[in-house]
Amino acid sequence: MKEENKDKLKIVMDIMQVLLTSVSILLIITFREKSITISYMAVLLLWLANCIFCLKKVKERILLLLFHGAFFAFLMGRETVNLLQTGSVAYDFELNIQFHIIICLYLSLASLACGFKLVEKYLKEQKTKETQHLLKLEVNREELRKTIRKYAKIIFCIGWILNIFVAIEQTLYVVNHSYLEFAKSFSSQIPYIIRIIANFRTIAFFIFLATIPEKRVTKPIIFMYIIEAIGSLAFGDRGNCIINILIVIAYIVFRQWKNKEEKWITKKQVIIIVILIPFVLAFLSGFVYLREGTDIGSFNIANQILRFFKSIGNSVNIIGHEKAYEGQLNEIGTFYTIGDLKQYLIYNPITEKIFHVQNITYHTEEYALSGQSFMHTISYLIDPTNYIEGHGYGSSYIAELHIDFGYIGVILGNVLIGAYMAIFYKIYNKNCILTGCLLLSYRIMFFIPRAPVDYLITYVLNFTAIASILVITVLTILEIKYKNYKAIKEIKNGG
C-alpha cells in the first residue's frame, strides 16, 4: 500500500512538473516582449517546476533545491511579494532592461536543471579501492580516512575555540559603535597568526564531514558549527548564519541518503523545521532593524516575512544595472567573472610578504574604475558618492556571466553550476580532501545569486584553506609513516 501511494505521488508530481514547464514555455514565448507581469509568472512557474523536480528525489537533489531557495530569496522574492500584493510586477528600469532581467532569470533556471540532469543521468558514481596512495605511501582506505578525520577534528576544535575571541571582539565593537560602523571600518586587534589559525576551522570542518564519520561522532561537531553560526548574529552577520545552516541541512540529508541504516533526520524533525521556517524568516527580517538600531514598529509575523523577501530581493537589480551600464563596464574592464580570483593571485599574504605588494584600498574612484571587480565597479557607476562613503550594492553571478559572455554565458554558466551540484553525489567517496573542498565551495554557492561567481573558486583556493589542508595532510603523512615504521620494526624484531 505504501509503495502504491509513492507511485501515485510520483505520477502526480511528474504531471505537475510537465504541466508547469509547458505553461511556462508557452507564456515566455508569447509574452516575453509584451507583458512583464505575465513573463515573470513564466519564470515563477519554471521555478516551481524545478522545485518539484528536486522534491521527487529530495535526498539526491537537496543541493539543487536549497540553491533554488537562495535563488528565489535573492532574485525573485521581492517581485513575488509585489505580485501577491498588487497583482503586477515591474522593475525600476526601462522596458527593454526589464525584459532582459526576465530572460536572464528564465535562462538561468532552465540551464541549472539541464546541467544537473545531464550529470545525474550520464555520470556513474566513482568507486574507490580498498587501498589508496598518499604521496608514495600505500594506505588502507579506512585507516587513511580515520587519520584525516582525527586531525581535521583537532584543527576544527582549536580554530573554533580561537574564533570565540575573534567573535567577542567583533561583538564588542558593534555594541560600542554600530553595525554600519563595523561593516565600514572594523579592524581586528587580535594577532594575525591567531586569526589565521581560527580560520583553519572552516575547511577542517568540511574535511571532517567528508570522511563520513559515524553519527555519534559527527553530531557534537555539527552542533559546535551551528552554535558558531547563530553566534555570528551577535555582530550582525545574518548572511553567514543562513548559509552555514543551509550547508548543514544539505549534509544531513546527504547522510540520510547514504547511510539508510542511521536515522539522521526523522519525519517529525522535518515537520518541526517546516513549521519553524516562517518564524525564522520573520526573525531574520526583524533582526535587520535590531542590527541597525532602527524602530521595528509593530511586529507582525506575516508582514515581517513579506518584508524579509522585499529587503533581501534587491540583488535582482544588479542584473538590470549591468545591462544599463553595459557599455561603460566593457570599456572599464574584461573578464569580471574571474575578477576576485585575479585579485587573490596578486594580492595575498605571500605576495605581500615576499614581493611587498600593497594591500588593495577599496572604495576609491581609482579602484572602482580599474575594472578589477564587477561588484565595486557597478556600485561606483550606480552611485559614486555612496560607494566612496564605503557602501555598495553587491553583485550577482548572472550579471557577471552576461557582461563577459552574453546570454550564451548565462546558459553555459548555469549548466556548469547545475552539473557542479550534481557531481557531488558521484565523487563524494573518491577523496575526502577533494570532497571537503567541494562542501566548502557549496557553502558559498548559496550566496552567489548576490555575489561574484568566482567565489566558488576563491573560497577554496585561499591562503587559510590551503594552509589548513597542508597541515592536515602533513600530520596524516607523519602518523602513517610512523605507524608503517613501527609495524616494520615489530616484524623485524619478531623475525
Side-chain angles (χ1 to χ4, degrees):
M1 192 69 181
K2 218 173 186 182
E3 288 300 318
E4 283 183 23
N5 290 336
K6 281 185 179 180
D7 290 339
K8 287 178 183 177
L9 180 61
K10 185 181 179 301
I11 292 169
V12 170
M13 293 178 84
D14 285 339
I15 293 170
M16 287 177 65
Q17 185 188 346
V18 171
L19 187 62
L20 288 171
T21 304
S22 302
V23 174
S24 171
I25 293 169
L26 182 64
L27 290 178
I28 199 70
I29 291 173
T30 308
F31 294 97
R32 65 187 175 89
E33 293 182 355
K34 297 176 183 176
S35 169
I36 291 295
T37 299
I38 296 177
S39 296
Y40 179 77
M41 288 172 66
V43 174
L44 190 57
L45 290 175
L46 183 60
W47 180 84
L48 287 169
N50 282 2
C51 289
I52 290 171
F53 166 74
C54 296
L55 290 170
K56 287 195 292 186
K57 291 184 179 180
V58 69
K59 292 174 186 175
E60 294 100 315
R61 298 168 182 169
I62 185 65
L63 282 170
L64 185 63
L65 179 64
L66 291 176
F67 186 80
H68 272 73
F71 190 101
F72 179 88
F74 294 131
L75 302 175
M76 296 174 62
R78 186 187 64 182
E79 281 64 43
T80 303
V81 170
N82 289 338
L83 183 64
L84 293 172
Q85 290 181 330
T86 67
S88 66
V89 172
Y91 299 96
D92 297 326
F93 297 97
E94 294 177 4
L95 196 60
N96 67 311
I97 295 178
Q98 293 189 59
F99 281 117
H100 163 74
I101 294 171
I102 294 291
I103 292 167
C104 283
L105 294 177
Y106 196 91
L107 291 176
S108 296
L109 289 170
S111 303
L112 281 168
C114 287
F116 192 96
K117 288 173 185 177
L118 284 171
V119 170
E120 187 180 58
K121 186 173 182 180
Y122 295 109
L123 188 65
K124 293 181 180 179
E125 184 177 332
Q126 300 295 299
K127 303 296 181 182
T128 55
K129 299 176 182 178
E130 286 303 311
T131 59
Q132 292 184 326
H133 286 84
L134 186 65
L135 295 184
K136 293 182 179 179
L137 298 172
E138 188 174 281
V139 192
N140 177 271
R141 173 171 161 259
E142 192 53 39
E143 182 187 347
L144 179 60
R145 279 184 180 274
K146 285 180 180 178
T147 310
I148 291 173
R149 181 184 305 151
K150 180 174 78 172
Y151 289 114
K153 182 179 178 180
I154 290 169
I155 289 171
F156 169 76
C157 291
I158 292 170
W160 190 87
I161 292 166
L162 291 177
N163 189 61
I164 292 173
F165 299 103
V166 177
I168 289 172
E169 181 194 32
Q170 293 172 328
T171 303
L172 290 174
Y173 190 93
V174 171
V175 170
N176 294 326
H177 298 82
S178 68
Y179 170 74
L180 293 176
E181 191 65 28
F182 169 78
K184 184 179 176 181
S185 57
F186 172 76
S187 179
S188 179
Q189 301 304 309
I190 292 174
Y192 183 69
I193 187 66
I194 299 296
R195 286 182 281 133
I196 288 292
I197 296 171
N199 288 335
F200 280 6
R201 75 193 184 283
T202 306
I203 185 63
F205 171 73
F206 290 116
I207 291 173
F208 170 81
L209 294 184
T211 62
I212 318 294
E214 293 178 2
K215 182 182 172 183
R216 61 180 179 80
V217 178
T218 312
K219 281 176 68 177
I221 302 299
I222 287 180
F223 181 73
M224 289 169 68
Y225 189 74
I226 292 174
I227 290 295
E228 179 192 320
I230 296 170
S232 65
L233 293 173
F235 49 88
D237 197 350
R238 182 176 68 167
N240 272 309
C241 175
I242 294 170
I243 62 175
N244 285 351
I245 290 172
L246 286 178
I247 193 63
V248 166
I249 291 171
Y251 182 78
I252 288 172
V253 173
F254 158 70
R255 289 301 301 272
Q256 183 67 53
W257 167 80
K258 185 185 184 302
N259 303 93
K260 295 178 176 63
E261 69 281 358
E262 287 185 308
K263 271 288 180 185
W264 280 79
I265 188 166
T266 64
K267 287 183 180 179
K268 186 178 178 181
Q269 289 170 332
V270 171
I271 292 168
I272 291 170
I273 290 170
V274 171
I275 292 171
L276 285 176
I277 286 173
F279 298 96
V280 172
L281 294 179
F283 168 74
L284 291 172
S285 175
F287 175 75
V288 174
Y289 294 88
L290 296 172
R291 181 180 72 180
E292 297 176 6
T294 54
D295 183 22
I296 195 172
S298 59
F299 189 87
N300 179 284
I301 290 177
N303 287 340
Q304 288 301 325
I305 292 170
L306 297 178
R307 191 180 285 176
F308 170 81
F309 286 113
K310 278 193 169 185
S311 66
I312 206 171
N314 289 322
S315 297
V316 72
N317 286 344
I318 295 296
I319 301 172
H321 287 304
E322 174 269 320
K323 186 66 175 175
Y325 293 102
E326 190 173 14
Q328 289 166 269
L329 285 163
N330 283 325
E331 286 178 12
I332 292 169
T334 55
F335 294 111
Y336 290 102
T337 44
I338 56 169
D340 279 78
L341 180 59
K342 286 190 295 183
Q343 280 188 93
Y344 193 77
L345 293 174
I346 299 169
Y347 308 99
N348 60 67
I350 296 172
T351 57
E352 185 183 336
K353 297 293 182 186
I354 298 175
F355 303 107
H356 306 290
V357 176
Q358 292 185 345
N359 284 326
I360 300 169
T361 303
Y362 298 111
H363 296 284
T364 63
E365 182 181 13
E366 181 185 2
Y367 177 68
L369 296 178
S370 69
Q372 295 186 64
S373 168
F374 176 84
M375 179 165 52
H376 286 267
T377 302
I378 196 68
S379 294
Y380 178 81
L381 292 174
I382 295 168
D383 191 338
T385 304
N386 193 49
Y387 174 77
I388 297 299
E389 289 176 353
H391 304 286
Y393 291 90
S395 184
S396 174
Y397 82 100
I398 296 173
E400 291 187 355
L401 289 169
H402 181 266
I403 192 63
D404 278 345
F405 308 108
Y407 292 120
I408 294 296
V410 174
I411 293 169
L412 294 178
N414 279 283
V415 166
L416 289 173
I417 291 169
Y420 186 59
M421 284 184 267
I423 204 169
F424 177 74
Y425 278 76
K426 305 296 182 180
I427 66 169
Y428 72 90
N429 212 27
K430 191 74 176 171
N431 181 298
C432 50
I433 298 290
L434 172 62
T435 304
C437 291
L438 280 174
L439 287 169
L440 175 61
S441 183
Y442 291 140
R443 172 189 173 272
I444 199 64
M445 180 188 67
F446 298 130
F447 212 58
I448 64 169
R450 65 175 302 175
V453 65
D454 63 353
Y455 270 14
L456 292 170
I457 302 170
T458 56
Y459 264 67
V460 176
L461 297 181
N462 66 66
F463 174 76
T464 51
I466 293 170
S468 182
I469 290 169
L470 285 174
V471 170
I472 292 169
T473 304
V474 168
L475 290 172
T476 301
I477 291 170
L478 289 174
E479 177 166 326
I480 289 171
K481 275 193 169 184
Y482 173 74
K483 284 181 177 177
N484 285 353
Y485 167 77
K486 197 175 175 182
I488 291 168
K489 193 175 180 181
E490 285 178 0
I491 291 169
K492 286 181 178 179
N493 290 339

